[in-house]
């Protein structure tokens, strides 16, 4: 396989600034607002589930002493299940929103007249094929889980059999590296799906992951470098500085510094999200210039005749039709000649 040429980090940062800066505030308010609402609802749901779990523990003790009915325990389990369903629905909603933001930045890169605003993001969100996107998300989670499962099992076995923690943490680190590596391989699945969206009708959505793995061949280290310097490092530095201020305020009981540091940390991370979402779009558009998307999807899509079953109908009914064909007609003159030969 031919090695792909990576993107220059300095030129990528300059292009990212030119992409984000003109429309930063119009995008930041919608992205930040939805993100705050999402995490606030998650915190509320988690708090309610924690309270329900504590009530269930009290119910178990009361059931042991005959002071409560087991029905209270069943109701608690149903409430926790409902909370998990709500949290999963919120997570899927937020993932669709992030995809809409990335598609908005992608359209702006392809056509500078396309705006990056709350209205354009909402328009993309409404027109997303959400039944296909959530299948891509499920396939991604399933494949990453299957890749991490063997080492996770080994780590649990080693951790339970020996008191030496070096092997346990070593296996866990290797497992995390595998998870990150597979996440990088599948990082462009949503963009590749969008380029071939009409062909995905009736097809398996795992083809987007296969194409992403091929697309990222020779680009994984370049993508990792860009993510580290553009996304991870600024957020880590910001968190260390102002999170350290919050820790200092809590350690010295100066609670004003604690709340100020915590607030600035959260707001700073939220305000940096437009840069994070634009990074993925810019990387795909720039990398696609030296890629062959059609080759990435080679031997993935099934023919329409196979999907509809038409290809198999001819195989099933062809022999039967041949048997039902009428015998060829014999002319009267030829029939008389044949009878005369038989009499001779």
């Amino acid at each position: 396989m031919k090695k792909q040429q990576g993107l220059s980090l300095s030129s990528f940062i300059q292009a990212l600034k030119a992409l984000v800066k003109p429309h930063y505030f119009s995008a930041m308010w919608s992205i930040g607002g939805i993100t705050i609402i999402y995490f606030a609802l998650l915190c509320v749901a988690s708090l309610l589930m924690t309270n329900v779990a504590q009530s269930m523990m009290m119910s178990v003790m009361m059931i042991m002493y005959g002071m409560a009915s087991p029905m209270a325990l069943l109701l608690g389990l149903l409430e926790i299940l409902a909370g998990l369903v709500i949290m999963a629905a919120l997570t899927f909603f937020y993932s669709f929103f992030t995809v809409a933001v990335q598609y908005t930045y992608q359209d702006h890169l392809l056509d500078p007249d396309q705006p990056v605003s709350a209205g354009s993001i909402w328009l993309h969100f409404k027109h997303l094929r959400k039944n296909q996107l959530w299948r891509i998300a499920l396939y991604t989670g399933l494949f990453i889980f299957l890749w991490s499962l063997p080492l996770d099992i080994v780590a649990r076995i080693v951790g339970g059999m020996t008191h030496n923690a070096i092997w346990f943490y070593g296996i866990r680190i290797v497992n995390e590296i595998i998870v990150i590596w597979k996440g990088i391989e599948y990082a462009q699945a949503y963009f590749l799906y969008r380029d071939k969206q009409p062909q995905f009708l009736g097809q398996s959505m795992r083809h987007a992951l296969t194409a992403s793995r091929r697309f990222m061949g020779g680009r994984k280290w370049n993508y990792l470098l860009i993510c580290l310097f553009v996304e991870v490092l600024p957020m880590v530095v910001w968190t260390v500085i102002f999170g350290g201020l919050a820790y200092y305020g809590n350690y010295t009981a100066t609670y004003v510094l604690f709340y100020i540091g915590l607030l600035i940390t959260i707001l700073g991370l939220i305000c940096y999200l437009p840069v994070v979402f634009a990074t993925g779009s810019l990387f795909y558009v720039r990398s696609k210039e030296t890629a062959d998307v059609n080759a990435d999807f080679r031997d993935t899509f099934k023919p329409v005749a196979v999907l509809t079953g038409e290809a198999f109908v001819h195989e099933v009914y062809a022999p039967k039709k041949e048997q039902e064909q009428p015998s060829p007609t014999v002319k009267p003159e030829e029939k008389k000649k044949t009878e005369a030969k038989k009499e001779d």
Side-chain angles (χ1 to χ4, degrees):
M1 182 180 292
K2 184 179 178 181
K3 186 176 180 181
Q4 303 294 339
Q5 184 179 3
L7 303 177
S8 171
L9 181 61
S10 58
S11 62
F12 185 89
I13 293 175
Q14 294 298 324
L16 185 63
K17 289 180 180 179
L19 173 62
V20 176
K21 191 174 180 180
H23 306 275
Y24 173 75
F25 288 103
S26 59
M28 188 269 291
W29 292 116
S30 58
I31 296 173
I34 295 296
T35 302
I36 291 174
I37 294 173
Y38 166 66
F39 282 105
L41 292 176
L42 280 186
C43 291
V44 171
S46 300
L47 181 61
L48 292 176
M49 290 174 62
T50 302
N51 293 334
V52 171
Q54 293 177 352
S55 300
M56 288 177 62
M57 294 177 63
M58 293 295 298
S59 298
V60 170
M61 296 180 61
M62 296 177 68
I63 290 172
M64 293 175 62
Y65 289 99
M67 300 174 61
S69 171
M71 187 60 65
L73 195 62
L74 179 60
L75 291 176
L77 290 174
L78 292 176
E79 290 177 357
I80 290 179
L81 181 61
L84 292 175
V85 171
I86 292 173
M87 293 177 70
L90 290 172
T91 302
F92 275 114
F93 170 84
Y94 187 72
S95 66
F96 297 151
F97 173 76
T98 60
V99 172
V101 175
Q102 291 177 320
Y103 286 175
T104 303
Y105 277 112
Q106 183 185 10
D107 286 348
H108 181 71
L109 284 168
L110 300 176
D111 183 6
D113 294 332
Q114 294 290 332
V116 180
S117 61
S120 59
I121 294 172
W122 174 246
L123 186 64
H124 279 88
F125 180 83
K126 287 196 303 182
H127 290 90
L128 289 177
R129 299 284 184 179
K130 300 177 182 61
N131 60 330
Q132 295 179 336
L133 291 177
W134 76 269
R135 279 185 281 165
I136 295 178
L138 289 178
Y139 270 121
T140 303
L142 175 62
F143 290 163
I144 292 177
F145 169 74
L146 292 177
W147 274 100
S148 63
L149 183 61
L151 285 180
D152 189 40
I153 295 174
V154 172
R156 292 180 182 275
I157 294 174
V158 171
M161 293 178 59
T162 179
H163 297 289
N164 190 0
I166 296 178
W167 285 100
F168 174 77
Y169 289 109
I171 295 173
R172 295 295 301 177
I173 292 173
V174 173
N175 194 17
E176 294 301 323
I177 292 174
I178 292 175
V179 169
I180 294 173
W181 194 254
K182 300 307 292 186
I184 292 174
E185 285 189 339
Y186 302 145
Q188 307 303 313
Y190 290 113
F191 296 109
L192 290 163
Y193 151 78
R194 191 188 188 195
D195 279 347
K196 298 291 184 180
Q197 186 173 346
Q199 284 112 311
F200 270 96
L201 184 62
Q203 303 283 347
S204 174
M205 304 310 297
R206 59 185 173 84
H207 298 325
L209 275 67
T210 301
S212 178
R213 180 171 49 81
R214 296 173 179 175
F215 182 88
M216 294 299 288
R219 297 186 177 93
K220 289 186 283 292
W221 286 108
N222 186 231
Y223 182 77
L224 179 61
L225 180 68
I226 289 174
C227 288
L228 286 176
F229 279 91
V230 176
E231 298 180 4
V232 178
L233 186 60
M235 299 177 77
V236 169
V237 172
W238 184 272
T239 303
V240 168
I241 294 174
F242 293 100
L245 178 64
Y247 176 80
Y248 176 79
N250 186 49
Y251 182 76
T252 59
T254 311
Y255 295 110
V256 175
L257 293 179
F258 169 75
Y259 289 114
I260 291 176
L262 185 62
L263 182 62
I264 294 177
T265 301
I266 295 174
L267 292 179
L269 295 177
I270 291 175
C271 291
Y272 197 70
L273 287 179
V275 178
V276 175
F277 294 142
T279 299
S281 301
L282 181 60
F283 180 85
Y284 177 75
V285 172
R286 288 294 181 88
S287 299
K288 187 182 174 182
E289 296 173 356
T290 58
D292 186 0
V293 175
N294 293 324
D296 295 330
F297 279 97
R298 186 176 292 124
D299 300 328
T300 54
F301 295 127
K302 295 181 179 179
V304 178
V306 175
L307 292 176
T308 58
E310 184 179 356
F312 306 104
V313 170
H314 300 292
E315 296 178 2
V316 173
Y317 291 100
K320 187 175 181 181
K321 288 182 178 180
E322 292 177 359
Q323 294 176 2
E324 293 177 353
Q325 287 181 356
S327 58
T329 57
V330 181
K331 294 181 179 180
E333 295 80 2
E334 295 180 356
K335 186 176 181 182
K336 290 180 180 179
K337 291 179 181 180
T338 304
E339 292 177 352
K341 288 180 181 179
K342 288 182 179 180
E343 291 177 357
D344 295 339

